[in-house]
Amino acid sequence: MGEVRRAVVLAVTVLSALAVAAPVQAEVRPGVWTFLYADKESLTGTYVPENQDGAKGSVTKYADGRYRVELDGVGAPGVPMVTAVGGNGVHCQLASFGSNGLMYVDCYAGTARKNSKFMLTFFSPPADSPANSAYGFAFSGPQATSFPGGTSISTDASSGVSTVQFTRAGFTNGGNVQVTAVGRSPARCSVMSWVQTTSGVTAQVKCKNLFGQSPVPPQWTLVYARERSIIGGDTEHFGYLQADRPDWSSPDPYPPDPNRNRGPNGYTHVVRRPVPNVGTYQVRVHGALAEAFTLHVSVNGDTAGFCVPTGWNFNLADPEWPGTVDVACFDGAGAPANQVFTLNYYSPS
């Protein structure tokens, strides 16, 4: 793949008319948060990424496909997310993380470690969180973390499906869910589904250890956000969608499910297959988003496959489609495959 193109702006595509504005709610301010784009995947040693915001961080490659991320001033409980960037069939996961801002990321081509670019975002509970705020996150490990309080996590041993129950007003089957595998063995996790319940929303996750049976099952981090950014705030520039037509073959873009399709100022996204290649998608965007941004993608359904952003671009000369995000999806063996996926982006500028 060629060098990933850095965006000056990302944006969101308007359809035929603006969406109906959401009810005005109290502003929600994020708690401790940070994001960075680790774009020097082959550099041995420590560097400070240019594309980052929030609590500052540095990245160190200490072995092939293995990275240490150190974040300053991150002592609050919370969880990170990580997404590989690139179209070479590599996925990235959290090897481990703690509350001291020290996090380890491993990237794999199948079960072999391989260097890769990646996005990392860390978030802790928002400073203000109204009772109807549809935002929550969870970590499934032995030192389980969840927000809001009372979130329940359970795993069915026979199927390997984990269920997160967010019991709180405001949660619906809209919004966006992202998941990241956690562990020192190569694993991938998918968002199987998320549905509204009488008391909130239930999200289901399924993880596959790529080594097969293992004494330590894969763990994961998860975040749910509706009308909130991935770090929990409801201001500034953010957007999300679920690309729910994986086999779409028309040259015309389609609008994803409007309940799961949100952009700045009421705009919505569209998705197309720019070429007939299997597993290749383009999210077309329209609106303002500054250069410092984070972007995460998760595969949906009962699959060991995965999806990653491969690049992004902004073209001021094209008033209809000024911005694009390219996404590539793969099956469990790392071959290109059509997949349903969710995408979430955020910029504080």
Side-chain angles (χ1 to χ4, degrees):
M1 191 196 85
E3 178 66 18
V4 172
R5 296 164 294 175
R6 299 286 305 279
V8 175
V9 178
L10 281 178
V12 180
T13 289
V14 67
L15 298 178
S16 58
L18 293 178
V20 176
V24 176
Q25 298 179 346
E27 177 181 343
V28 177
R29 299 192 306 272
V32 176
W33 61 274
T34 187
F35 66 76
L36 57 82
Y37 174 35
D39 59 348
K40 296 178 174 58
E41 71 276 22
S42 299
L43 176 65
T44 299
T46 301
Y47 69 98
V48 176
E50 294 180 6
N51 182 2
Q52 65 171 301
D53 212 317
K56 298 303 180 183
S58 63
V59 178
T60 303
K61 173 178 168 284
Y62 63 94
D64 284 346
R66 309 200 77 179
Y67 304 90
R68 181 175 65 250
V69 179
E70 297 181 71
L71 305 177
D72 297 333
V74 175
V79 298
M81 305 292 299
V82 65
T83 296
V85 175
N88 55 355
V90 176
H91 87 277
C92 295
Q93 64 190 64
L94 289 157
S96 65
F97 67 95
S99 61
N100 60 354
L102 185 60
M103 304 174 190
Y104 291 87
V105 175
D106 287 348
C107 300
Y108 297 91
T111 59
R113 292 191 184 94
K114 187 172 182 178
N115 296 338
S116 178
K117 300 176 174 66
F118 61 88
M119 290 278 193
L120 182 144
T121 305
F122 174 87
F123 35 82
S124 64
D128 292 330
S129 186
N132 63 347
S133 173
Y135 176 80
F137 57 74
F139 167 48
S140 67
Q143 303 298 321
T145 296
S146 64
F147 172 82
T151 299
S152 64
I153 306 170
S154 61
T155 301
D156 182 84
S158 60
S159 66
V161 175
S162 298
T163 299
V164 182
Q165 176 64 57
F166 291 106
T167 305
R168 194 174 192 182
F171 288 84
T172 72
N173 63 358
N176 190 267
V177 179
Q178 297 292 322
V179 68
T180 292
V182 179
R184 296 188 179 277
S185 293
R188 300 193 193 109
C189 296
S190 65
V191 179
M192 289 192 66
S193 65
W194 71 99
V195 296
Q196 188 174 7
T197 66
T198 56
S199 58
V201 70
T202 294
Q204 290 193 314
V205 173
K206 189 170 185 178
C207 297
K208 179 177 177 59
N209 191 313
L210 300 187
F211 281 147
Q213 297 298 318
S214 170
V216 180
Q219 299 169 8
W220 43 263
T221 60
L222 176 144
V223 62
Y224 170 91
R226 184 180 66 83
E227 296 300 322
R228 298 285 180 270
S229 72
I230 195 169
I231 66 167
D234 64 353
T235 58
E236 302 164 327
H237 300 295
F238 66 91
Y240 52 74
L241 76 148
Q242 181 185 44
D244 52 358
R245 302 182 197 176
D247 299 321
W248 181 261
S249 59
S250 170
D252 298 322
Y254 74 86
D257 179 349
N259 292 318
R260 300 180 174 186
N261 187 356
R262 199 272 192 206
N265 303 318
Y267 290 107
T268 49
H269 310 74
V270 296
V271 181
R272 67 184 294 262
R273 296 264 302 279
V275 293
N277 294 349
V278 172
T280 301
Y281 304 93
Q282 187 177 80
V283 180
R284 290 188 162 186
V285 294
H286 184 93
L289 191 69
E291 182 176 12
F293 69 96
T294 189
L295 172 69
H296 291 279
V297 176
S298 292
V299 72
N300 294 176
D302 187 357
T303 175
F306 60 103
C307 297
V308 297
T310 61
W312 42 85
N313 189 39
F314 183 74
N315 180 11
L316 283 173
D318 187 344
E320 184 177 7
W321 305 110
T324 58
V325 179
D326 297 314
V327 175
C329 295
F330 305 88
D331 63 16
N338 293 339
Q339 303 278 9
V340 177
F341 63 88
T342 52
L343 182 150
N344 191 309
Y345 65 84
Y346 165 69
S347 171
S349 300

